[in-house]
Amino acid sequence: MSDVIKLLPDHVANQIAAGEVVQRPASVVKELLENAIDAGATKVSLTIEDAGKSLIQVMDNGKGMSMTDARMAFERHATSKISQADDLFQLRTKGFRGEALASIVAVAQVSLKTARKEDELGTHIELEGSIIKSQEPVVTPQGTMISVRNLFFNIPARRKFLKSDNVELRNITDEFHRVAMIHADIAFTYTHNGSELFNLPATGLRQRIVNIMGNKVNEQLVPVTEDTELVKIHGFIGKPEYSRKTKGYQFFFVNDRYIKHSYFHHAVTSAFEGLLRDKHYPSYFLYLTVPTESVDINIHPTKTEVKFDNEHEMYAIIRATIKHALGQFTVDTIDFQKEPQYEVPYDLSRQTTPSAPKIEVNPDFNPFKEESFDAARKTPSSQSFKKPVDPSWEALYTGLDEVSPQSELIDETPSVPQQEELFEASTQEKQIFQLQRKFIVTPLQNGMLIIHQHRAHYRIVYEQLLQEITAQPGVSQQLLFPIMWELNAADRSVLSEIQTQLENTGFSFKFTDHSVEVTGVPMLLNESEVLQTLQEVIEDQQSYHGDTSQSFSQADRLATCLSKNMAIRSGVTLSRKQMEQLTDQLFACKEPEITPDKRKVFIQMTGSQINSKFN
Ligand code: ADP
Ligand code: MG
């Protein structure tokens, strides 16, 4: 039998190797941006089409390449940045493996135009799947422009594997952020399908972070600095009260590289201990500088995971530094963890300066008026509140006053009160009262029922919204004065993903160049809570990196997040009428027992349970 081992042809070997470097459009973006920076550029522009699937282009004004270098650049292990293995430990540049361009050309159609300062004519090279198609002199400004078209054109399986445009674009934007956040002194632009997402002038670090994350971040930042032999730290942390429900704003950079480091992440979060609300995460932008020989950045091909010689000592230094910064900024000593979210009136828990609780005062309150629910929350209209989830709810309610004596026959409490017979039959008027401005208590035929008012309304609004999002758009209240909403490009793209669903719930938006105007909001939403609510919805969606085609779960998340914000809070005084409405609507729901996030909405106590307490 003849020999069977063959050497793989170069282009196949390149394709296989490419898999390590080029996983998705964002990986190409990262490599190209880093090359531009290594080339000493002061201006870099990134142009993307179709989330990088059609085009990824990076143009820089760096030092450019000679004709020979331009050809060499696409060879595997071609790099100008190291010449011996020792250099690996002294790295100051970003790239060093000489693999990026070779990998990219193996799986795309690439055009390169480059010229150095001293060149009269530059070089233009076209390649496709590692093969040079053409090379000619060209008039081009100093610097380099690389265009990568039709990524994975020759590996259909990989192309098919790419996620939706929204997801791929988000990944690209993440990479762009990471690079731009290290190089505040370099000007960047970023354009997608012809519209400019970012235009970042050269500036200082704080301003760069603000330019990327949005103006509102500025007031949230606390500076951090520390200088030790092992590590120098500078950067910013977010004030604890601005902690987020997603881990979005968490950045570690080491020697000007973005890294992920769960151990150091722990150091930061543990410094925040006791200062954060439940399920909230701190924001941080931390830049570490360590001696190059004490770090091994070469352990992972995409170089986001690194190993340090002195991790334990660094952990302690990072933690102490953050604690110190937090202490200097003298935080309120409120221990959020002692105040579960559900126990605190939502509004109050967020107010930074105390002010009179507005929602409870309403001089126009008229308990005899049909639309009494307006009273408690001002803007919400009863029209929307009373909108039945199931048309039969009204029957349920009217039936209450005419409970027949037969209901006395019921002697066992069913797990869920389904019918009006459950309620105390002896009196014409149902007895119902509010306890601690938080619970609604009402006698049952065989005991009593205690309903958590916020959770009950949360369930009601949730089911209503879900229906609006998926089937039957709800009513909008148009705002007399539209609310300006400044949001960064990433948030904006999330917004456009869920725009239709939001509009179904009653929101309406007007997009302008750099901001969004909210012109209408759902009936139940207080105007003062609009931005906070929308921001939470966006964060919530961002934390959800699943397949956006699962529209049900997206609708579900949206309805959950919105309804939590729209539901009446604990601490709000309810009128008798409101309590009755709430009770009726709750039991007209499909799943009255639990909130959308699976908490108990009500409890029942049977007569014998009450009796046993008197033993
Ligand atoms: P590495 O960055 O690891 O050296 P790459 O494949 O990314 O490997 O690039 C190969 C070489 O091509 C670089 O070492 C550099 O000399 C040259 N090069 C790549 N991009 C640029 C650019 N934008 N400007 C100037 N030179 C570049
Ligand atoms: Mg490189």
Side-chain angles (χ1 to χ4, degrees):
M1 200 173 145
S2 61
D3 298 335
V4 290
I5 295 178
K6 294 191 198 80
L7 274 177
L8 288 172
D10 260 3
H11 73 277
V12 178
N14 279 342
Q15 272 187 19
I16 294 169
E20 220 189 274
V21 180
V22 186
Q23 282 132 5
R24 50 176 19 101
S27 0
V28 176
V29 168
K30 173 177 190 282
E31 295 295 340
L32 297 185
L33 289 177
E34 290 189 347
N35 279 348
I37 288 158
D38 281 348
T42 57
K43 276 189 186 153
V44 179
S45 36
L46 169 65
T47 306
I48 301 293
E49 268 163 36
D50 302 323
K53 293 172 187 170
S54 321
L55 175 73
I56 299 162
Q57 184 182 72
V58 171
M59 193 164 91
D60 68 58
N61 65 352
K63 63 177 187 253
M65 286 176 260
S66 70
M67 193 183 73
T68 320
D69 281 353
R71 273 194 89 113
M72 276 289 286
F74 298 105
E75 298 288 329
R76 185 155 303 278
H77 306 306
T79 176
S80 53
K81 298 165 194 171
I82 54 168
S83 49
Q84 51 192 31
D86 262 2
D87 292 349
L88 266 179
F89 300 99
Q90 298 292 342
L91 270 167
R92 292 248 148 244
T93 56
K94 301 189 171 293
F96 53 86
R97 298 156 60 108
E99 285 186 318
L101 291 183
S103 301
I104 293 166
V105 296
V107 293
Q109 296 154 342
V110 174
S111 152
L112 166 80
K113 283 184 188 170
T114 186
R116 296 171 303 173
K117 201 171 180 182
E118 63 267 37
D119 297 336
E120 229 164 73
L121 279 180
T123 309
H124 179 192
I125 300 179
E126 301 265 353
L127 302 97
E128 197 173 296
S130 301
I131 295 158
I132 296 189
K133 292 284 177 184
S134 71
Q135 175 179 343
E136 56 196 15
V138 67
V139 180
T140 182
Q142 183 200 329
T144 303
M145 180 169 94
I146 299 193
S147 313
V148 176
R149 293 198 165 78
N150 303 325
L151 189 63
F152 300 133
F153 78 103
N154 51 356
I155 317 182
R158 304 268 330 246
R159 201 172 161 86
K160 236 188 269 163
F161 192 67
L162 292 176
K163 297 257 169 62
S164 72
D165 281 8
N166 282 320
V167 173
E168 294 298 350
L169 190 68
R170 214 175 294 161
N171 285 317
I172 291 174
T173 306
D174 284 349
E175 289 297 350
F176 176 81
H177 284 169
R178 291 166 188 171
V179 173
M181 248 188 273
I182 308 169
H183 301 279
D185 54 339
I186 298 176
F188 289 92
T189 61
Y190 169 16
T191 305
H192 181 240
N193 289 346
S195 64
E196 191 177 79
L197 299 184
F198 288 91
N199 186 342
L200 306 172
T203 175
L205 181 57
R206 183 176 189 132
Q207 190 58 44
R208 172 58 57 90
I209 292 174
V210 169
N211 288 348
I212 293 175
M213 299 301 172
N215 275 337
K216 61 179 187 302
V217 173
N218 201 13
E219 54 171 337
Q220 309 176 4
L221 298 177
V222 178
V224 175
T225 51
E226 183 56 89
D227 192 346
T228 69
E229 242 170 66
L230 285 182
V231 55
K232 290 186 181 42
I233 305 173
H234 76 285
F236 299 91
I237 49 176
K239 294 178 188 166
E241 67 261 39
Y242 293 108
S243 58
R244 294 161 59 93
K245 281 203 199 140
T246 57
K247 300 173 190 171
Y249 296 168
Q250 299 188 334
F251 298 90
F252 270 122
F253 302 96
V254 170
N255 294 1
D256 288 350
R257 276 168 211 282
Y258 170 80
I259 62 152
K260 290 184 182 140
H261 207 286
S262 50
Y263 188 50
F264 291 170
H265 169 77
H266 189 269
V268 177
T269 41
S270 75
F272 271 87
E273 219 164 68
L275 297 172
L276 299 175
R277 276 172 290 169
D278 198 22
K279 296 206 186 101
H280 278 60
Y281 302 90
S283 294
Y284 55 82
F285 309 85
L286 294 175
Y287 299 73
L288 315 185
T289 312
V290 299
T292 44
E293 64 278 7
S294 74
V295 51
D296 181 2
I297 37 179
N298 203 13
I299 60 167
H300 192 272
T302 51
K303 293 167 275 167
T304 52
E305 277 153 41
V306 295
K307 235 183 113 47
F308 297 88
D309 287 350
N310 309 297
E311 296 200 333
H312 295 308
E313 290 85 345
M314 284 179 67
Y315 179 99
I317 295 170
I318 293 170
R319 186 164 185 270
T321 306
I322 304 299
K323 270 191 172 275
H324 181 68
L326 283 168
Q328 285 214 322
F329 133 86
T330 56
V331 216
D332 267 337
T333 43
I334 297 168
D335 185 348
F336 286 109
Q337 282 173 345
K338 285 201 188 117
E339 299 184 298
Q341 234 175 315
Y342 278 95
E343 315 303 311
V344 190
Y346 211 52
D347 284 330
L348 299 181
S349 69
R350 292 200 183 162
Q351 268 164 15
T352 41
T353 48
S355 68
K358 292 181 225 121
I359 40 173
E360 288 170 36
V361 186
N362 179 17
D364 298 326
F365 177 66
N366 174 0
F368 302 107
K369 205 171 139 222
E370 253 290 273
E371 280 103 346
S372 56
F373 221 97
D374 279 348
R377 284 180 51 90
K378 279 186 176 163
T379 13
S381 122
S382 60
Q383 184 196 345
S384 170
F385 181 78
K386 282 164 64 184
K387 186 170 171 193
V389 175
D390 167 353
S392 66
W393 73 278
E394 265 169 342
L396 251 181
Y397 174 50
T398 40
L400 274 178
D401 295 337
E402 303 143 22
V403 178
S404 76
Q406 292 162 4
S407 55
E408 274 161 32
L409 296 175
I410 302 173
D411 53 10
E412 250 184 36
T413 312
S415 59
V416 181
Q418 298 281 1
Q419 296 298 325
E420 58 270 33
E421 293 96 75
L422 271 179
F423 293 103
E424 186 68 82
S426 54
T427 46
Q428 263 307 81
E429 197 163 65
K430 190 169 78 180
Q431 296 172 36
I432 191 161
F433 64 92
Q434 194 182 19
L435 195 66
Q436 297 179 325
R437 283 187 290 163
K438 181 173 176 186
F439 304 107
I440 300 168
V441 183
T442 184
L444 292 177
Q445 177 62 27
N446 182 34
M448 75 175 175
L449 177 70
I450 306 176
I451 300 172
H452 191 297
Q453 68 184 44
H454 167 72
R455 294 184 190 180
H457 200 210
Y458 182 9
R459 162 55 63 185
I460 295 165
V461 179
Y462 166 81
E463 292 200 0
Q464 180 185 322
L465 286 175
L466 200 58
Q467 204 191 18
E468 290 175 358
I469 293 170
T470 51
Q472 208 176 51
V475 193
S476 168
Q477 50 170 327
Q478 290 302 302
L479 298 175
L480 204 52
F481 302 104
I483 302 173
M484 289 299 285
W485 185 19
E486 247 183 69
L487 70 178
N488 64 39
D491 290 355
R492 202 181 157 108
S493 92
V494 175
L495 175 65
S496 53
E497 249 173 72
I498 52 172
Q499 188 185 350
T500 318
Q501 284 109 313
L502 281 174
E503 283 172 352
N504 284 350
T505 70
F507 282 102
S508 45
F509 304 100
K510 211 164 106 193
F511 284 79
T512 60
D513 267 359
H514 287 288
S515 60
V516 173
E517 274 180 28
V518 185
T519 54
V521 300
M523 284 296 199
L524 275 183
L525 192 59
N526 263 336
E527 231 178 289
S528 60
E529 286 163 21
V530 171
L531 287 188
Q532 175 79 43
T533 303
L534 284 171
Q535 202 61 48
E536 258 181 52
V537 168
I538 300 273
E539 276 181 36
D540 187 62
Q541 294 290 324
Q542 273 166 341
S543 69
Y544 169 60
H545 276 286
D547 187 353
T548 42
S549 67
Q550 294 174 355
S551 60
F552 176 74
S553 55
Q554 198 181 38
D556 178 63
R557 289 175 70 90
L558 193 62
T560 305
C561 188
L562 281 174
S563 53
K564 190 179 220 160
N565 279 285
M566 283 157 63
I568 46 161
R569 325 284 191 214
S570 298
V572 173
T573 310
L574 300 180
S575 72
R576 179 189 169 81
K577 181 109 190 158
Q578 291 167 343
M579 290 189 278
E580 285 175 356
Q581 279 185 5
L582 199 72
T583 313
D584 298 338
Q585 294 188 13
L586 176 65
F587 292 113
C589 283
K590 294 200 175 90
E591 282 185 278
E593 311 89 338
I594 46 165
T595 61
D597 50 11
K598 311 269 181 294
R599 285 156 176 257
K600 235 183 237 174
V601 172
F602 58 83
I603 53 168
Q604 295 169 78
M605 276 179 114
T606 59
S608 53
Q609 279 169 334
I610 297 172
N611 259 328
S612 70
K613 302 257 178 223
F614 291 96
N615 282 340

